[in-house]
Amino acid sequence: MDGDDDGVRIRDDVCRRSRPVVDLCCDQVRGQRRGDEHDRGEHMRPAPTAGDVAMARTSYDWLASHGGLLHWVEAMPETGKAVVASWHPSWGSDTRVHELARDSVGSGLHGYGGMPYAWLPSLGTVLVNGVTGQIEHAKALPPTRHSYGDLAQSGDELLCVREDDQGDQLVAVDVVSANRRVLRETDGFLASPRSQGRRLAWTQWSKDVMPWDSCEVWVANRVVGGPISEPVRVAGGPNESAIQPQWGEDGSLYFMSDRTGWWNLYRWRSGLVDAVAPIDADCATAPWESTYADYVLLPGSRIGMIVQHGPRHHLVVVQPDGGVAPVSLPYTSVKPYLAALDSRIALIGSAPDHAQEIALVDTNGSEGVEVVRAGTVLATALSVPEEIQVESSRAEVTVLFYPAVGQDAPAPLIVRPHPGPTHQSKLRLDWEVQFFTSRGFAVADVDYRGSTGYGRTFRKALDGNWGRFDVEDCRNAALHLIAVGRAAAGEVFISGASAGGYTALRAVSEDGPFALAVARSAIVDPQRWTVTAPRFQRPHATILSHEDAKVVPARVQRPVLLIHGARDTVAPINDVTELATALRTRKMLVRMLSFDGVGHYFSDPAALSAALDAELDAYRAVLRGTGLPAAE
């Protein structure tokens, strides 16, 4: 997927079980399957099945605090729903759930979502329906043609952003009367409304740019029940991405900006902007979804903040004098949803040997960690990655290399370009990786040029070179691992989802070490994608693409397994179906699996399980040397 792909994105998979409905190949890749037990000794733990992996993808997102409570969105594969959960320190291990009668909580704002709930002091929780995109509450709110998200509390009034094909509107909603007032509108995009007293802040960007390239922070005066006035641009411009505004108690406005080449924290007060904590590192996440919070304001004028060094995340506390104090954590990956509960920082953290969990972290120097909501644990041996630097055509790229469990000899290798492509590999437990490493495969996650967490210059290196630099970096990562004896030549595969699927398809369209490509939810034609992508992402396709960007079936040199959801609104299935037909004619199609009722993210456990099994079957067919089935 694009953006942050760790979560179970139930909002577009319509919460129903799926079945494969399209198979364009006359044979299935079957063959003799190994059992789920390792054959290297009884001391090894059982490998997780594809079904285990699919059911282990419980996800936590949109963490926030209100009135001494923590709230978050919890997506649960076992029920097929996403709900809002609440927790108070006095409740112990108990949580309370706020859910919709039939559908999941979720927002499709800008294609990828914005905060889908808010807590109003006298009215309780307000939710966005992940299927209809409408706001739901005990008081009926008449539906409109828009998709809602980015909900924020302003007294007993609700602020939000809504979108239709014409553009965005920043709206104030009186939930009791159902009155909606448009405060700001544009044919571009709006996000992150934040109010304090009679002041309102928000971000906005033009319809032909992406917010990580160019985004502005604005401030205006506002009277509750009335319009806004005297809007002023605080930061941002054509070559600056200013994001994540938050008001301080003293009336200062904080925000992130990459004006130095790194996303760092700044403060606007008395009409002047100053740097809060200059660091040669990205301290913000590329804003695929609205309402990210990579920093949180703490009592005593302190600030908790995530600092990224490539795929590794750190937590620091910025002191009132500007000093930066690291906070020791058991996590190497922290989601961009920091919240404060008194002086403690609430976060969603994970590590390569630690599933994501919600925890409270002390900031008083004791570095205590209280787990609020634990992650899913599977009884299996884990592969822990090594960070490797690989030279690739005047660039150095980071690779997370996961060795095959229990194997020291060169192993079959799966190279994985991440989705996005303006995204990054995550240094955290990924059960899909463990599914393969527990079966004798090594896995390499590649942060190719264009990845985030390495500054603006590296992030923009892929502009106009999509399908070139990313492919080159993945190829060089594979060749390096072969050269140093970590991967077996002739047994190297490439697998990706969404933009990563596009990279995989392009990689087998030229000479290289890859014996097979697996493309899930893949983009096929970036030029056509400028029209078929969600409105938010159409500029992305234009910025990344070039005249030779399309995957051309005649150029594909290695077999391809295609896996796609029939309800994919990010990368519509038609392009993939056309590609499958052409590859079948050339006998380069292993199989095409299409799943009815499934969207871009393969949230449905049955669909994901079938996809993983099909991928494993294809790899094993190559390793057996019996050949892959070719379409008639």
Side-chain angles (χ1 to χ4, degrees):
M1 77 173 255
D2 301 290
D4 196 5
D5 64 337
D6 56 295
V8 179
R9 304 289 175 173
I10 293 177
R11 61 173 176 261
D12 73 343
D13 283 4
V14 196
C15 309
R16 58 190 179 203
R17 300 303 177 206
S18 310
R19 56 185 179 87
V21 295
V22 177
D23 192 336
L24 297 182
C25 211
C26 35
D27 293 314
Q28 295 183 355
V29 186
R30 295 296 184 192
Q32 185 66 36
R33 297 281 304 275
R34 298 181 197 170
D36 288 326
E37 297 289 335
H38 287 282
D39 56 7
R40 305 188 193 94
E42 294 182 355
H43 66 283
M44 298 297 288
R45 294 181 179 179
T49 67
D52 292 336
V53 170
M55 294 302 294
R57 297 176 80 226
T58 299
S59 175
Y60 310 120
D61 293 283
W62 304 113
L63 180 65
S65 62
H66 301 284
L69 291 169
L70 288 182
H71 307 278
W72 63 88
V73 173
E74 184 166 331
M76 301 174 290
E78 65 272 15
T79 64
K81 291 188 69 172
V83 301
V84 173
S86 298
W87 178 86
H88 188 273
S90 65
W91 298 350
S93 60
D94 294 334
T95 59
R96 297 177 185 174
V97 170
H98 314 270
E99 60 183 315
L100 300 170
R102 291 173 298 176
D103 300 323
S104 284
V105 176
S107 168
L109 182 71
H110 303 156
Y112 296 97
M115 174 63 84
Y117 69 90
W119 186 82
L120 304 181
S122 63
L123 298 173
T125 305
V126 182
L127 308 173
V128 177
N129 187 306
V131 175
T132 67
Q134 298 298 300
I135 296 172
E136 295 196 10
H137 186 258
K139 300 286 186 179
L141 293 174
T144 69
R145 67 181 186 276
H146 306 87
S147 178
Y148 287 79
D150 248 352
L151 274 57
Q153 176 254 339
S154 177
D156 271 335
E157 195 171 48
L158 181 70
L159 297 176
C160 62
V161 175
R162 66 184 188 185
E163 174 188 34
D164 63 14
D165 291 339
Q166 305 306 309
D168 280 7
Q169 295 178 333
L170 198 163
V171 180
V173 182
D174 185 320
V175 178
V176 174
S177 68
N179 179 50
R180 299 176 172 106
R181 289 177 294 103
V182 176
L183 304 178
R184 182 86 167 183
E185 58 185 326
T186 174
D187 64 354
F189 299 90
L190 299 165
S192 304
R194 294 290 181 270
S195 69
Q196 185 191 61
R198 304 182 69 146
R199 302 287 270 168
L200 175 67
W202 68 91
T203 62
Q204 67 181 56
W205 62 99
S206 300
K207 64 181 180 179
D208 57 350
V209 299
M210 299 306 293
W212 48 77
D213 290 332
S214 174
C215 188
E216 300 172 345
V217 172
W218 284 72
V219 171
N221 295 323
R222 173 175 177 256
V223 177
V224 175
I228 62 172
S229 61
E230 301 180 53
V232 174
R233 182 174 62 85
V234 169
N239 299 303
E240 179 186 359
S241 172
I243 53 179
Q244 297 188 24
Q246 289 192 49
W247 291 103
E249 291 183 355
D250 64 352
S252 299
L253 182 70
Y254 294 84
F255 60 91
M256 291 285 185
S257 167
D258 70 348
R259 61 181 60 185
T260 65
W262 302 100
W263 267 311
N264 275 193
L265 186 62
Y266 291 82
R267 177 176 49 227
W268 177 79
R269 56 183 175 184
S270 303
L272 300 175
V273 172
D274 61 288
V276 174
I279 300 174
D280 287 341
D282 276 333
C283 301
T285 304
W288 283 95
E289 298 168 318
S290 302
T291 331
Y292 283 159
D294 283 284
Y295 69 99
V296 62
L297 305 180
L298 300 170
S301 300
R302 299 180 306 148
I303 303 168
M305 186 169 68
I306 300 169
V307 179
Q308 302 181 31
H309 291 101
R312 188 178 295 270
H313 295 175
H314 304 272
L315 182 67
V316 302
V317 173
V318 182
Q319 305 295 341
D321 62 1
V324 177
V327 178
S328 179
L329 288 178
Y331 313 116
T332 54
S333 181
V334 180
K335 285 190 171 184
Y337 305 114
L338 297 185
L341 201 62
D342 299 322
S343 62
R344 293 192 290 176
I345 296 175
L347 54 78
I348 305 169
S350 53
D353 59 352
H354 207 117
Q356 66 170 267
E357 59 190 21
I358 300 174
L360 285 167
V361 179
D362 290 331
T363 61
N364 58 9
S366 67
E367 297 179 342
V369 176
E370 177 186 356
V371 176
V372 171
R373 191 72 162 163
T376 304
V377 177
L378 296 179
T380 184
L382 296 178
S383 174
V384 177
E386 307 167 25
E387 291 184 57
I388 299 173
Q389 306 302 313
V390 174
E391 293 295 330
S392 179
S393 182
R394 297 168 295 171
E396 186 177 73
V397 298
T398 299
V399 177
L400 295 179
F401 176 72
Y402 294 81
V405 172
Q407 183 170 326
D408 295 326
L413 174 68
I414 304 168
V415 173
R416 301 199 319 168
H418 58 70
T422 309
H423 197 44
Q424 65 178 168
S425 302
K426 302 293 187 181
L427 188 56
R428 63 187 180 200
L429 183 57
D430 184 329
W431 288 119
E432 292 189 36
V433 170
Q434 303 302 325
F435 176 76
F436 292 107
T437 57
S438 64
R439 287 168 169 79
F441 294 86
V443 174
D445 285 349
V446 182
D447 270 359
Y448 49 82
R449 279 168 285 179
S451 300
T452 58
Y454 302 88
R456 184 181 179 94
T457 299
F458 193 88
R459 186 173 76 241
K460 291 188 65 61
L462 199 61
D463 291 2
N465 288 292
W466 196 20
R468 294 171 177 163
F469 288 177
D470 48 331
V471 169
E472 185 175 13
D473 294 347
C474 288
R475 181 174 62 244
N476 286 331
L479 293 173
H480 171 81
L481 291 168
I482 293 170
V484 299
R486 307 301 297 276
E491 299 181 350
V492 178
F493 313 102
I494 185 165
S495 174
S498 191
Y502 169 76
T503 300
L505 293 170
R506 291 279 299 195
V508 293
S509 298
E510 57 187 68
D511 290 336
F514 304 112
L516 176 142
V518 178
R520 187 200 303 173
S521 305
I523 295 151
V524 173
D525 185 351
Q527 294 287 350
R528 192 184 304 181
W529 202 45
T530 61
V531 177
T532 60
R535 186 178 73 95
F536 165 82
Q537 207 167 1
R538 290 172 194 168
H540 200 203
T542 302
I543 293 165
L544 294 167
S545 187
H546 48 88
E547 61 182 14
D548 191 35
K550 182 180 179 180
V551 175
V552 179
R555 297 180 185 173
V556 174
Q557 302 177 25
R558 297 291 186 273
V560 172
L561 171 63
L562 296 171
I563 303 169
H564 219 88
R567 292 194 68 257
D568 193 332
T569 58
V570 175
I573 195 172
N574 292 345
D575 286 356
V576 177
T577 303
E578 291 177 13
L579 175 64
T581 301
L583 292 179
R584 178 182 57 181
T585 301
R586 297 190 58 240
K587 300 188 183 302
M588 284 293 178
L589 180 69
V590 176
R591 188 180 181 190
M592 178 170 174
L593 276 175
S594 172
F595 292 89
D596 187 24
V598 169
H600 195 60
Y601 305 102
F602 271 71
S603 305
D604 181 89
L608 178 60
S609 177
L612 290 173
D613 276 336
E615 185 172 349
L616 179 62
D617 282 340
Y619 297 151
R620 283 177 167 169
V622 173
L623 298 181
R624 285 194 306 268
T626 56
L628 290 161
E632 295 180 346

